[in-house]
């Protein structure tokens, strides 16, 4: 048998830690001297201690380790949950690394035009209208005069915060004959009309988002940057891109102050 001091040196842990394991019932000494309270451990306790230390390094709490020893089936559950936590952390850190590198590359250039970010797009209930339009300018008439009036007629209430966006079903940037679905987030579903369709659009776990400042006729440059960035950072587009309108003709007189966010669903290759 080994004294607590020797046992701690053998396993490179403190006597304080061993005493704590004893107190919580995780690893009790093999023998305790009644008169002195001295703790003694044996070699057959080494595998259990090593398992405790290994599970701790994997990120399990002492309470989880204790439960795992009491119920061996719990180890599998705890490790699967921890595995998912680690994978999520790796993904988040990889995204940070990509953004850092992208930002550094942009700062090295003469002009930092874009700051791409990756975020989740939440599930949303929308009133939508899909049409093929001749050009982007047609949206300025189509949205307020057609869709806006129809939404008012059926009593739609816009969600807060407002989320107005277009989904482009061509799958790429086009300047003419654009297959667009205009969407406005609303608080509840309504019966479909000849003009409007109501539906729930599922959440998008990963979307590349880039702000575009100015007129819509230069959106092609922003799309080009976005698709190039995705390719260079080992992502691929997995669904139709969206344009979320933050500022525009409805609240800004100066076209240079219009602000649009490109939202492009992506997955890692």
């Amino acid at each position: 048998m080994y004294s607590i001091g020797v046992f701690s040196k053998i396993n490179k842990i403190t006597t304080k830690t061993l005493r704590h394991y004893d107190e919580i019932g995780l690893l009790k000494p093999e023998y305790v001297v009644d008169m002195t309270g001295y703790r003694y451990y044996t070699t057959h306790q080494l595998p259990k201690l090593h398992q405790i230390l290994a599970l701790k390094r994997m990120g399990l709490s002492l309470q989880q380790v204790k439960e795992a020893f009491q119920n061996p089936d719990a180890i599998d559950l705890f490790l699967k949950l921890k595995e998912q936590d680690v994978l999520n952390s790796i993904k988040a850190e990889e995204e940070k690394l990509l953004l850092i590198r992208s930002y550094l590359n942009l700062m090295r250039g003469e002009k930092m035009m874009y700051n791409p970010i990756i975020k989740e797009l939440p599930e949303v209930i929308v009133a939508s209208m899909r049409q093929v339009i001749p050009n982007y300018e047609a949206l300025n008439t189509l949205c307020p005069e057609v869709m806006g009036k129809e939404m008012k007629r059926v009593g739609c209430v816009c969600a807060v915060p407002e989320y107005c966006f277009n989904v482009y079903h061509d799958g790429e940037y086009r300047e003419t004959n654009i297959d667009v679905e205009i969407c406005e987030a609303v608080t509840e579903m309504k019966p479909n009309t000849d003009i409007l369709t109501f539906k729930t659009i599922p959440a998008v776990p990963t979307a590349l988002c880039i702000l575009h400042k100015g007129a819509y006729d230069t959106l092609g440059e922003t799309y080009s940057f976005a698709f190039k960035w995705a390719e260079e950072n080992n992502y691929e587009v997995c669904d139709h891109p969206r344009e979320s309108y933050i500022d525009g003709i409805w609240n800004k007189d100066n076209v240079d102050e219009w602000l649009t966010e490109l939202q492009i669903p992506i997955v890692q290759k």
Side-chain angles (χ1 to χ4, degrees):
M1 290 193 292
Y2 300 100
S3 68
I4 188 171
V6 174
F7 199 68
S8 71
K9 290 178 181 178
I10 292 174
N11 295 286
K12 301 293 190 291
I13 61 173
T14 66
T15 56
K16 182 180 179 180
T17 298
L18 287 171
R19 290 191 183 97
H20 181 61
Y21 290 173
D22 181 10
E23 290 169 0
I24 65 175
L26 186 58
L27 181 68
K28 289 188 169 294
E30 187 75 14
Y31 178 71
V32 179
V33 179
D34 292 335
M35 294 290 293
T36 62
Y38 290 167
R39 297 170 171 86
Y40 289 89
Y41 297 82
T42 60
T43 53
H44 80 262
Q45 290 179 289
L46 287 172
K48 184 175 182 180
L49 178 60
H50 286 190
Q51 189 175 11
I52 293 170
L53 298 177
L55 292 172
K56 277 188 62 185
R57 283 195 293 270
M58 295 175 200
L60 270 64
S61 69
L62 289 179
Q63 181 59 38
Q64 289 175 322
V65 174
K66 186 177 178 180
E67 290 178 21
F69 285 134
Q70 294 171 346
N71 177 16
D73 292 338
I75 293 181
D76 185 61
L77 173 61
F78 288 145
L79 291 183
K80 285 181 178 178
L81 292 174
K82 182 55 64 175
E83 179 185 34
Q84 190 58 53
D85 286 343
V86 172
L87 290 173
N88 291 340
S89 297
I90 291 172
K91 181 180 178 183
E93 292 303 312
E94 286 178 341
E95 290 175 357
K96 287 181 187 177
L97 182 61
L98 290 175
L99 293 175
I100 289 169
R101 289 173 176 171
S102 175
Y103 199 86
L104 287 172
N105 289 336
L106 291 169
M107 290 182 67
R108 293 187 186 109
E110 295 181 2
K111 185 178 180 182
M112 190 166 62
M113 296 179 62
Y114 305 110
N115 290 312
I117 65 170
I118 294 174
K119 64 182 181 182
E120 179 184 4
L121 304 180
E123 179 182 272
V124 61
I125 300 171
V126 300
S128 72
M129 180 176 66
R130 181 173 176 178
Q131 289 193 15
V132 176
I133 58 176
N135 50 50
Y136 278 96
E137 283 67 31
L139 291 171
N140 295 332
T141 301
L142 193 63
C143 291
E145 295 187 7
V146 179
M147 185 173 178
K149 289 181 179 179
E150 182 69 359
M151 288 181 64
K152 184 177 181 181
R153 185 187 72 81
V154 300
C156 291
V157 177
C158 293
V160 178
E162 293 184 1
Y163 184 25
C164 177
F165 61 95
N166 291 349
V167 178
Y168 291 92
H169 292 273
D170 296 304
E172 60 183 358
Y173 176 77
R174 298 185 62 171
E175 294 184 350
T176 60
N177 297 324
I178 305 160
D179 186 356
V180 60
E181 183 177 7
I182 307 166
C183 300
E184 180 75 43
V186 293
T187 58
E188 62 178 350
M189 305 281 279
K190 298 282 186 180
N192 293 339
T193 72
D194 292 338
I195 296 175
L196 297 177
T197 298
F198 292 87
K199 62 182 179 179
T200 299
I201 297 180
V204 176
T206 309
L208 170 60
C209 300
I210 300 176
L211 291 174
H212 171 85
K213 196 74 177 286
Y216 303 139
D217 57 6
T218 57
L219 274 166
E221 299 174 11
T222 309
Y223 272 104
S224 295
F225 171 86
F227 291 136
K228 181 180 179 182
W229 188 94
E231 178 66 27
E232 290 176 348
N233 290 283
N234 204 36
Y235 285 99
E236 61 183 3
V237 178
C238 63
D239 205 347
H240 302 305
R242 303 180 189 178
E243 291 172 8
S244 174
Y245 300 100
I246 302 168
D247 292 317
I249 193 172
W250 58 92
N251 68 340
K252 298 291 184 181
D253 295 329
N254 186 349
V255 69
D256 293 335
E257 296 181 358
W258 293 4
L259 188 62
T260 308
E261 183 179 66
L262 301 191
Q263 301 173 336
I264 305 173
I266 54 173
V267 292
Q268 283 196 307
K269 295 182 179 178

